[in-house]
Amino acid sequence: MSNEIDTDTTADEILLAATNHDIDTLTKLLREPGAANVQDPDTGYAPLHAAVASCEADTESSETNGEGDAVHNTALSEESAVETVKFLFENGAIWNELDANDETPGCIAKRLGLEKVYEEIVRAGVRAEMLFNRLDEYTALGDDEDDEDEESDEDDEQIDGFEPSPSTGNGPTVATSNGVVHDPVEGFEPMPNPSKSPTSAGAPQNGDSSVPELVQTNENGHTTEPIEANIRNPNVNSEDYLTSELSYSGDRLLDSDKNAVMMDWETEIMFKSVERLVLKSGLRTMNVGFGMGIVDGAFLAKDPQMHHIIEAHPQVHQRMKEKGWYDKENVHVHEGKWQDVLPKLLEQGVVLDAIYFDTYAEDYKDLKIFFQDYVIGLLDSDGLFGFYNGLGADRQVCYDVYTRIVEMDLFNCGLDTEWLDIKVPEQVFTKEEWKDVRHKYWDNVNPYRLPTCKFLG
């Protein structure tokens, strides 16, 4: 077996051109699919990382030419970085690719204070996620046709090096900015998509174009995947959670695998949410997801006319009985999943003044179904809706992307959202706070953005 030396320097040339913000050279080099996502084997930098990082001054740099370039290790301008980032997105760059330091391009831009670059990355993330959400809905509509399913399965078997993205359906593989679906590209696969629900609000803004996100596979078929926004705990699904053993341990509620279902540091967030949802006593209120009962205690402190609690976990039901929640005045506990309980309440003609949503082991798709199918049917015309906003809370750029996505989707359902920024307690960012917790569901995101929604008009 001969050991051939790889003399192809294309990847190095692309990374160098991105570092130098050399769009002319990039134009010549980015002609092959996936070229905008090559990575340095040592740093893990993709072209986006390189373009953003070159705006950081090297404190040990030697004499410069005054303008700054990669050769002389000096900082380039943010303006040229913005243009380069835009160009890379137009050529299929992945907005949330991770480097060797576990940073996305957005993480680097945020750390360096590059607000304009960061904004471009957030907008690209919104476009990409909304595009895949829309494609997933198109797929769901087609899943009812057995013939189409069989044809899709046959097509997948014929594609070398391609796997569909993990989602509830097997959606179209690659699409352009206008939504036209093309044949899959050999050796690439779509980015894992954390949310599934589409919206027309994902259309390009201010003339920007959406681009598909592709992930390059190596010769062995292994994939370097971009991160998936932490919309839910990746270790848990709803069915497994509902059969797991829970433990109330001081300031936290854990499942049998030591995943945190809820923690005491959320108390201020819960009470602030109720303060904004319940403006007077005597209202009809509801909370979905009891957990530790923090938000329900806040609701009862507002002296509601009737308070509904929907909780699905049997062990939480037992805890609620032990604490006397079933016997509290004006409290109605509904045992079961909200997907089963709410249709019955709609049939009964229940109308509410305030609704809060905070479930566990569900993702953004579930939240969207909740507000588009049930909030609009249960909420009074002048009522208010809120939810625990932990969408993408594993890193700031993902949090900002999903905050915008949910606001767009709420607007398309006729709901206007007002945001209140709350400083996250300092202990949340300490190792001690997450001791003995398997999954850290909040990380490096501040402030918490608290949503309060009401009907438009």
Side-chain angles (χ1 to χ4, degrees), residues 278-302:
V278 184
L279 305 181
K280 61 182 180 179
S281 62
L283 297 183
R284 302 154 295 179
T285 61
M286 172 186 285
N287 174 47
V288 180
F290 181 82
M292 295 171 64
I294 298 173
V295 76
D296 292 288
F299 271 118
L300 287 197
K302 294 290 187 177

PDB file of all heavy atoms in Angstrom, residues 278-302:
ATOM      1  N   VAL A 278     -50.677  38.042  34.954  1.00  0.00           N
ATOM      2  CA  VAL A 278     -51.852  38.217  35.815  1.00  0.00           C
ATOM      3  C   VAL A 278     -51.810  39.608  36.438  1.00  0.00           C
ATOM      4  O   VAL A 278     -51.060  39.860  37.370  1.00  0.00           O
ATOM      5  CB  VAL A 278     -51.882  37.140  36.916  1.00  0.00           C
ATOM      6  CG1 VAL A 278     -53.157  37.281  37.745  1.00  0.00           C
ATOM      7  CG2 VAL A 278     -51.786  35.748  36.306  1.00  0.00           C
ATOM      8  N   LEU A 279     -52.627  40.502  35.907  1.00  0.00           N
ATOM      9  CA  LEU A 279     -52.576  41.904  36.314  1.00  0.00           C
ATOM     10  C   LEU A 279     -53.567  42.243  37.420  1.00  0.00           C
ATOM     11  O   LEU A 279     -53.545  43.350  37.954  1.00  0.00           O
ATOM     12  CB  LEU A 279     -52.830  42.788  35.091  1.00  0.00           C
ATOM     13  CG  LEU A 279     -51.906  42.538  33.885  1.00  0.00           C
ATOM     14  CD1 LEU A 279     -52.249  43.484  32.749  1.00  0.00           C
ATOM     15  CD2 LEU A 279     -50.440  42.671  34.284  1.00  0.00           C
ATOM     16  N   LYS A 280     -54.421  41.280  37.768  1.00  0.00           N
ATOM     17  CA  LYS A 280     -55.385  41.511  38.847  1.00  0.00           C
ATOM     18  C   LYS A 280     -55.885  40.168  39.353  1.00  0.00           C
ATOM     19  O   LYS A 280     -55.635  39.119  38.733  1.00  0.00           O
ATOM     20  CB  LYS A 280     -56.559  42.368  38.355  1.00  0.00           C
ATOM     21  CG  LYS A 280     -57.348  41.726  37.226  1.00  0.00           C
ATOM     22  CD  LYS A 280     -58.475  42.640  36.749  1.00  0.00           C
ATOM     23  CE  LYS A 280     -59.263  41.978  35.621  1.00  0.00           C
ATOM     24  NZ  LYS A 280     -60.383  42.847  35.146  1.00  0.00           N
ATOM     25  N   SER A 281     -56.580  40.186  40.442  1.00  0.00           N
ATOM     26  CA  SER A 281     -57.127  38.950  41.010  1.00  0.00           C
ATOM     27  C   SER A 281     -58.399  38.550  40.268  1.00  0.00           C
ATOM     28  O   SER A 281     -58.975  39.341  39.509  1.00  0.00           O
ATOM     29  CB  SER A 281     -57.422  39.145  42.503  1.00  0.00           C
ATOM     30  OG  SER A 281     -58.401  40.159  42.682  1.00  0.00           O
ATOM     31  N   GLY A 282     -58.820  37.306  40.512  1.00  0.00           N
ATOM     32  CA  GLY A 282     -60.087  36.844  39.956  1.00  0.00           C
ATOM     33  C   GLY A 282     -60.032  36.396  38.508  1.00  0.00           C
ATOM     34  O   GLY A 282     -61.080  36.246  37.872  1.00  0.00           O
ATOM     35  N   LEU A 283     -58.837  36.140  37.973  1.00  0.00           N
ATOM     36  CA  LEU A 283     -58.708  35.728  36.574  1.00  0.00           C
ATOM     37  C   LEU A 283     -58.721  34.205  36.445  1.00  0.00           C
ATOM     38  O   LEU A 283     -58.497  33.471  37.408  1.00  0.00           O
ATOM     39  CB  LEU A 283     -57.425  36.293  35.968  1.00  0.00           C
ATOM     40  CG  LEU A 283     -57.312  37.812  35.898  1.00  0.00           C
ATOM     41  CD1 LEU A 283     -56.020  38.222  35.202  1.00  0.00           C
ATOM     42  CD2 LEU A 283     -58.526  38.419  35.188  1.00  0.00           C
ATOM     43  N   ARG A 284     -58.960  33.751  35.224  1.00  0.00           N
ATOM     44  CA  ARG A 284     -58.941  32.320  34.901  1.00  0.00           C
ATOM     45  C   ARG A 284     -57.568  31.992  34.311  1.00  0.00           C
ATOM     46  O   ARG A 284     -57.220  32.500  33.247  1.00  0.00           O
ATOM     47  CB  ARG A 284     -60.051  32.004  33.900  1.00  0.00           C
ATOM     48  CG  ARG A 284     -61.458  32.371  34.383  1.00  0.00           C
ATOM     49  CD  ARG A 284     -62.407  32.635  33.236  1.00  0.00           C
ATOM     50  NE  ARG A 284     -62.011  33.817  32.464  1.00  0.00           N
ATOM     51  CZ  ARG A 284     -62.659  34.263  31.385  1.00  0.00           C
ATOM     52  NH1 ARG A 284     -63.741  33.621  30.956  1.00  0.00           N
ATOM     53  NH2 ARG A 284     -62.241  35.324  30.739  1.00  0.00           N
ATOM     54  N   THR A 285     -56.809  31.134  34.991  1.00  0.00           N
ATOM     55  CA  THR A 285     -55.410  30.922  34.618  1.00  0.00           C
ATOM     56  C   THR A 285     -55.113  29.442  34.376  1.00  0.00           C
ATOM     57  O   THR A 285     -55.847  28.558  34.829  1.00  0.00           O
ATOM     58  CB  THR A 285     -54.471  31.456  35.706  1.00  0.00           C
ATOM     59  OG1 THR A 285     -54.721  30.751  36.932  1.00  0.00           O
ATOM     60  CG2 THR A 285     -54.697  32.950  35.933  1.00  0.00           C
ATOM     61  N   MET A 286     -53.997  29.186  33.684  1.00  0.00           N
ATOM     62  CA  MET A 286     -53.568  27.807  33.422  1.00  0.00           C
ATOM     63  C   MET A 286     -52.051  27.740  33.329  1.00  0.00           C
ATOM     64  O   MET A 286     -51.411  28.626  32.768  1.00  0.00           O
ATOM     65  CB  MET A 286     -54.166  27.276  32.119  1.00  0.00           C
ATOM     66  CG  MET A 286     -53.592  25.912  31.692  1.00  0.00           C
ATOM     67  SD  MET A 286     -54.169  25.385  30.060  1.00  0.00           S
ATOM     68  CE  MET A 286     -55.840  24.888  30.479  1.00  0.00           C
ATOM     69  N   ASN A 287     -51.494  26.657  33.870  1.00  0.00           N
ATOM     70  CA  ASN A 287     -50.084  26.338  33.678  1.00  0.00           C
ATOM     71  C   ASN A 287     -49.967  24.924  33.159  1.00  0.00           C
ATOM     72  O   ASN A 287     -50.626  23.999  33.661  1.00  0.00           O
ATOM     73  CB  ASN A 287     -49.301  26.458  34.989  1.00  0.00           C
ATOM     74  CG  ASN A 287     -47.864  25.973  34.821  1.00  0.00           C
ATOM     75  OD1 ASN A 287     -47.192  26.346  33.865  1.00  0.00           O
ATOM     76  ND2 ASN A 287     -47.406  25.128  35.736  1.00  0.00           N
ATOM     77  N   VAL A 288     -49.116  24.736  32.166  1.00  0.00           N
ATOM     78  CA  VAL A 288     -48.864  23.411  31.593  1.00  0.00           C
ATOM     79  C   VAL A 288     -47.455  22.984  31.979  1.00  0.00           C
ATOM     80  O   VAL A 288     -46.475  23.573  31.518  1.00  0.00           O
ATOM     81  CB  VAL A 288     -49.021  23.426  30.061  1.00  0.00           C
ATOM     82  CG1 VAL A 288     -48.763  22.037  29.487  1.00  0.00           C
ATOM     83  CG2 VAL A 288     -50.401  23.928  29.672  1.00  0.00           C
ATOM     84  N   GLY A 289     -47.361  21.973  32.852  1.00  0.00           N
ATOM     85  CA  GLY A 289     -46.076  21.495  33.337  1.00  0.00           C
ATOM     86  C   GLY A 289     -45.812  21.963  34.759  1.00  0.00           C
ATOM     87  O   GLY A 289     -45.254  23.035  34.983  1.00  0.00           O
ATOM     88  N   PHE A 290     -46.197  21.160  35.762  1.00  0.00           N
ATOM     89  CA  PHE A 290     -46.105  21.569  37.161  1.00  0.00           C
ATOM     90  C   PHE A 290     -44.662  21.592  37.670  1.00  0.00           C
ATOM     91  O   PHE A 290     -44.246  22.555  38.318  1.00  0.00           O
ATOM     92  CB  PHE A 290     -46.935  20.614  38.031  1.00  0.00           C
ATOM     93  CG  PHE A 290     -46.938  20.962  39.487  1.00  0.00           C
ATOM     94  CD1 PHE A 290     -47.801  21.927  39.976  1.00  0.00           C
ATOM     95  CD2 PHE A 290     -46.086  20.308  40.376  1.00  0.00           C
ATOM     96  CE1 PHE A 290     -47.811  22.246  41.339  1.00  0.00           C
ATOM     97  CE2 PHE A 290     -46.088  20.621  41.731  1.00  0.00           C
ATOM     98  CZ  PHE A 290     -46.954  21.586  42.215  1.00  0.00           C
ATOM     99  N   GLY A 291     -43.904  20.533  37.395  1.00  0.00           N
ATOM    100  CA  GLY A 291     -42.519  20.477  37.827  1.00  0.00           C
ATOM    101  C   GLY A 291     -42.369  20.576  39.334  1.00  0.00           C
ATOM    102  O   GLY A 291     -42.830  19.727  40.097  1.00  0.00           O
ATOM    103  N   MET A 292     -41.746  21.663  39.787  1.00  0.00           N
ATOM    104  CA  MET A 292     -41.553  21.908  41.214  1.00  0.00           C
ATOM    105  C   MET A 292     -42.663  22.780  41.787  1.00  0.00           C
ATOM    106  O   MET A 292     -42.653  23.100  42.981  1.00  0.00           O
ATOM    107  CB  MET A 292     -40.194  22.581  41.444  1.00  0.00           C
ATOM    108  CG  MET A 292     -39.013  21.694  41.086  1.00  0.00           C
ATOM    109  SD  MET A 292     -37.419  22.585  41.100  1.00  0.00           S
ATOM    110  CE  MET A 292     -37.293  23.038  42.840  1.00  0.00           C
ATOM    111  N   GLY A 293     -43.602  23.198  40.950  1.00  0.00           N
ATOM    112  CA  GLY A 293     -44.739  23.985  41.427  1.00  0.00           C
ATOM    113  C   GLY A 293     -44.443  25.450  41.662  1.00  0.00           C
ATOM    114  O   GLY A 293     -45.261  26.164  42.259  1.00  0.00           O
ATOM    115  N   ILE A 294     -43.310  25.929  41.179  1.00  0.00           N
ATOM    116  CA  ILE A 294     -42.924  27.324  41.425  1.00  0.00           C
ATOM    117  C   ILE A 294     -43.903  28.290  40.773  1.00  0.00           C
ATOM    118  O   ILE A 294     -44.429  29.209  41.412  1.00  0.00           O
ATOM    119  CB  ILE A 294     -41.493  27.594  40.925  1.00  0.00           C
ATOM    120  CG1 ILE A 294     -40.490  26.726  41.677  1.00  0.00           C
ATOM    121  CG2 ILE A 294     -41.145  29.073  41.094  1.00  0.00           C
ATOM    122  CD1 ILE A 294     -39.076  26.811  41.143  1.00  0.00           C
ATOM    123  N   VAL A 295     -44.155  28.100  39.491  1.00  0.00           N
ATOM    124  CA  VAL A 295     -45.017  29.038  38.782  1.00  0.00           C
ATOM    125  C   VAL A 295     -46.463  28.909  39.246  1.00  0.00           C
ATOM    126  O   VAL A 295     -47.206  29.894  39.283  1.00  0.00           O
ATOM    127  CB  VAL A 295     -44.898  28.847  37.259  1.00  0.00           C
ATOM    128  CG1 VAL A 295     -45.642  27.617  36.782  1.00  0.00           C
ATOM    129  CG2 VAL A 295     -45.408  30.079  36.513  1.00  0.00           C
ATOM    130  N   ASP A 296     -46.880  27.719  39.630  1.00  0.00           N
ATOM    131  CA  ASP A 296     -48.250  27.537  40.117  1.00  0.00           C
ATOM    132  C   ASP A 296     -48.454  28.231  41.457  1.00  0.00           C
ATOM    133  O   ASP A 296     -49.526  28.794  41.720  1.00  0.00           O
ATOM    134  CB  ASP A 296     -48.573  26.049  40.223  1.00  0.00           C
ATOM    135  CG  ASP A 296     -48.645  25.388  38.861  1.00  0.00           C
ATOM    136  OD1 ASP A 296     -49.614  25.644  38.129  1.00  0.00           O
ATOM    137  OD2 ASP A 296     -47.711  24.646  38.513  1.00  0.00           O
ATOM    138  N   GLY A 297     -47.415  28.219  42.298  1.00  0.00           N
ATOM    139  CA  GLY A 297     -47.492  28.973  43.537  1.00  0.00           C
ATOM    140  C   GLY A 297     -47.633  30.457  43.288  1.00  0.00           C
ATOM    141  O   GLY A 297     -48.380  31.163  43.981  1.00  0.00           O
ATOM    142  N   ALA A 298     -46.942  30.943  42.254  1.00  0.00           N
ATOM    143  CA  ALA A 298     -47.044  32.360  41.893  1.00  0.00           C
ATOM    144  C   ALA A 298     -48.443  32.689  41.379  1.00  0.00           C
ATOM    145  O   ALA A 298     -48.994  33.757  41.679  1.00  0.00           O
ATOM    146  CB  ALA A 298     -45.991  32.705  40.836  1.00  0.00           C
ATOM    147  N   PHE A 299     -49.035  31.763  40.612  1.00  0.00           N
ATOM    148  CA  PHE A 299     -50.395  31.977  40.115  1.00  0.00           C
ATOM    149  C   PHE A 299     -51.395  32.060  41.274  1.00  0.00           C
ATOM    150  O   PHE A 299     -52.263  32.945  41.301  1.00  0.00           O
ATOM    151  CB  PHE A 299     -50.799  30.850  39.158  1.00  0.00           C
ATOM    152  CG  PHE A 299     -50.451  31.108  37.718  1.00  0.00           C
ATOM    153  CD1 PHE A 299     -49.562  30.278  37.046  1.00  0.00           C
ATOM    154  CD2 PHE A 299     -51.015  32.164  37.021  1.00  0.00           C
ATOM    155  CE1 PHE A 299     -49.240  30.499  35.717  1.00  0.00           C
ATOM    156  CE2 PHE A 299     -50.709  32.392  35.686  1.00  0.00           C
ATOM    157  CZ  PHE A 299     -49.814  31.555  35.032  1.00  0.00           C
ATOM    158  N   LEU A 300     -51.278  31.149  42.228  1.00  0.00           N
ATOM    159  CA  LEU A 300     -52.240  31.142  43.344  1.00  0.00           C
ATOM    160  C   LEU A 300     -52.110  32.379  44.212  1.00  0.00           C
ATOM    161  O   LEU A 300     -53.092  32.837  44.811  1.00  0.00           O
ATOM    162  CB  LEU A 300     -52.043  29.889  44.191  1.00  0.00           C
ATOM    163  CG  LEU A 300     -52.511  28.561  43.590  1.00  0.00           C
ATOM    164  CD1 LEU A 300     -52.634  27.499  44.674  1.00  0.00           C
ATOM    165  CD2 LEU A 300     -53.849  28.701  42.876  1.00  0.00           C
ATOM    166  N   ALA A 301     -50.899  32.932  44.270  1.00  0.00           N
ATOM    167  CA  ALA A 301     -50.706  34.158  45.051  1.00  0.00           C
ATOM    168  C   ALA A 301     -51.481  35.333  44.457  1.00  0.00           C
ATOM    169  O   ALA A 301     -51.712  36.343  45.134  1.00  0.00           O
ATOM    170  CB  ALA A 301     -49.214  34.498  45.125  1.00  0.00           C
ATOM    171  N   LYS A 302     -51.911  35.186  43.212  1.00  0.00           N
ATOM    172  CA  LYS A 302     -52.683  36.228  42.535  1.00  0.00           C
ATOM    173  C   LYS A 302     -54.189  36.032  42.705  1.00  0.00           C
ATOM    174  O   LYS A 302     -54.981  36.764  42.101  1.00  0.00           O
ATOM    175  CB  LYS A 302     -52.339  36.239  41.041  1.00  0.00           C
ATOM    176  CG  LYS A 302     -50.903  36.649  40.733  1.00  0.00           C
ATOM    177  CD  LYS A 302     -50.683  38.119  41.017  1.00  0.00           C
ATOM    178  CE  LYS A 302     -49.312  38.578  40.569  1.00  0.00           C
ATOM    179  NZ  LYS A 302     -49.112  40.043  40.785  1.00  0.00           N
TER     180      LYS A 302
END
